[in-house]
Amino acid sequence: MPLSALLLAAALPASLPATVAVRFDRRHAVAVLEEGAADRATGRRATAASPVRIASISKLVAALGVMRLVDYGTLDLDRDVSDYLGWPLRNPAFPDTPITLRLLLSHRSSLSDDAGYVIPLGESLRQRVADPRAWDRNHAPGSDWFHYTNLNFPVVASVMEKVTGERFDQLMHHLVLRPLGLSACYNWSPCSTQEAARAAVLYRANGEVAKDDLHGALPACPVEVMPGRACDLAAYRPGENGALFSPQGGLRISMMDLARIGQMLARGGRGFISAEAFAEMTRPLWRFDGTNGLGENGEGDGFFCAYGLAVQTLALHMKAGGGETPGGTRCHDDLFGDTTMRIGHAGDAYGLKSGLWVDPVRGQGLAFFTTAVADDAPKGRSAFTAREEEVVARASASRSALP
């Protein structure tokens, strides 16, 4: 290792988690936290330009692609997705109930993650959803039952691929990422080696590498492959397996670029999606009443309290005048602790916690991630972890002001 890298590594405590936060308004963005090592082995610092696997915020970005296709008239939120897929997608317990993009994007499709949602090259989505464990047999699609389910998004991606004839990673590049001017990609495709060299390695709380220890090179194969099979993406037929590029969690993006997505949302989607599409996307289709939904951990713990089309709404139950929605006393989603309603999404995977949150009234927001968070990290005063609350509080109090 070069002497300069050794000195830098010595200056950075090996246990210091990488934490980055960017505040933004509709026109400006400023990095307010940049600390810790993006790569502990070399001492390379984490910055607002470090791409990171942002986890479930990837769902919101995938939904932007859907809404652009809705604006083009290519997709219909309320059409049976079986028509797009070319085969029947049905919950065996409710064979006459169609499943739509609206239900998939809002986690009301009755799909479950119990059969798994990582589908390798060589297996098809159709094969996976034929597993009875992929379905909730107690709640019909379209009921007021919310169950946060990653598998919804491989189905969404398969629909997108089927109607466009393009692989999800390539489609998202020209449909969403490039038009927004972002250096971002799903599962490192089609990012460059220069972007890979800036990657934030994801570490678990015990210091073990969890993801993206790339050593400055792109992965030899960007997707999971069945044992014994070659990574032959040239033979892949779009629409067969929308899980390949991890639409539910595989977006790699820097916080400065994530803030640009937040700025677009702060402008009501203007210039990117129609006002109607923005309204459809951000309007809560489900609200927690204390008993009508489960989060990813299988608990109705008040983390998810209002959800639209891959858009989470915070503190909606804390209305002016003190009124609460049914079950409001069981909602604990006020991450910022200021009772302000915000839209966006949280992320949680491989020791990372992340967030993109926008106050649509003031047109301001925050994009952040922090790493090496334990699976059993203590909660704060909300359903979020104390670490996330600390990052948000520090970023909000930063003296690095927007112009």
Side-chain angles (χ1 to χ4, degrees), residues 44-363:
R44 179 168 49 82
R45 291 182 177 273
T47 75
S50 301
V52 66
R53 186 185 188 278
I54 206 59
S56 286
I57 301 173
S58 307
K59 295 178 173 71
L60 184 155
V61 182
L64 288 171
V66 171
M67 299 315 293
R68 295 208 87 189
L69 292 173
V70 169
D71 277 341
Y72 297 156
T74 307
L75 288 175
D76 185 328
L77 291 172
D78 297 309
R79 184 173 177 179
D80 186 343
V81 295
S82 302
D83 297 341
Y84 297 124
L85 294 170
W87 47 269
L89 181 72
R90 287 290 188 274
N91 183 330
F94 304 95
D96 298 324
T97 305
I99 295 170
T100 67
L101 284 168
R102 190 183 300 276
L103 299 182
L104 291 161
L105 291 167
S106 62
H107 297 287
R108 297 180 300 131
S109 69
S110 78
L111 277 166
S112 160
D113 282 337
D114 289 350
Y117 54 89
V118 177
I119 308 173
L121 184 65
E123 184 182 346
S124 71
L125 173 70
R126 188 173 187 179
Q127 289 172 301
R128 184 59 61 92
V129 298
D131 187 328
R133 295 174 299 170
W135 297 99
D136 177 352
R137 302 180 69 89
N138 297 315
H139 300 95
S143 65
D144 192 35
W145 178 255
F146 172 95
H147 190 174
Y148 190 85
T149 299
N150 288 288
L151 186 56
N152 285 316
F153 283 79
V155 179
V156 170
S158 295
V159 169
M160 296 172 72
E161 289 186 347
K162 196 73 173 181
V163 299
T164 63
E166 278 196 84
R167 221 170 60 191
F168 177 76
D169 59 320
Q170 297 166 341
L171 176 62
M172 287 297 295
H173 178 69
H174 83 248
L175 192 65
V176 175
L177 304 176
R178 187 173 61 193
L180 288 174
L182 310 178
S183 296
C185 54
Y186 279 82
N187 277 17
W188 293 110
S189 176
C191 277
S192 67
T193 54
Q194 290 81 8
E195 288 154 341
R198 297 197 306 270
V201 181
L202 295 184
Y203 297 94
R204 301 194 187 280
N206 63 4
E208 292 179 356
V209 171
K211 202 77 171 174
D212 283 351
D213 190 7
L214 301 177
H215 305 286
L218 292 168
C221 182
V223 302
E224 297 287 335
V225 182
M226 287 185 70
R229 298 287 187 93
C231 183
D232 185 9
L233 284 168
Y236 173 70
R237 292 186 298 180
E240 287 188 345
N241 181 4
L244 286 179
F245 289 89
S246 190
Q248 74 281 350
L251 181 67
R252 271 66 171 188
I253 190 169
S254 71
M255 292 306 94
M256 194 58 74
D257 275 346
L258 188 60
R260 296 183 73 170
I261 295 176
Q263 289 174 310
M264 179 271 295
L265 295 173
R267 295 190 294 268
R270 189 166 60 250
F272 186 72
I273 56 174
S274 67
E276 293 78 14
F278 179 81
E280 285 289 323
M281 190 173 177
T282 57
R283 174 172 60 91
L285 298 174
W286 168 86
R287 297 179 70 171
F288 186 49
D289 68 7
T291 62
N292 66 336
L294 297 175
E296 189 173 12
N297 60 4
E299 299 176 2
D301 58 2
F303 182 88
F304 290 107
C305 284
Y307 205 90
L309 300 180
V311 174
Q312 189 176 352
T313 302
L314 301 183
L316 186 61
H317 62 287
M318 295 181 173
K319 297 179 178 178
E324 288 193 337
T325 60
T329 55
R330 295 190 61 182
C331 283
H332 307 289
D333 63 343
D334 187 13
L335 168 62
F336 288 73
D338 59 4
T339 74
T340 297
M341 188 272 288
R342 289 177 174 86
I343 59 172
H345 213 288
D348 175 8
Y350 298 108
L352 168 138
K353 298 283 188 179
S354 60
L356 173 64
W357 301 111
V358 179
D359 175 349
V361 176
R362 291 187 295 176

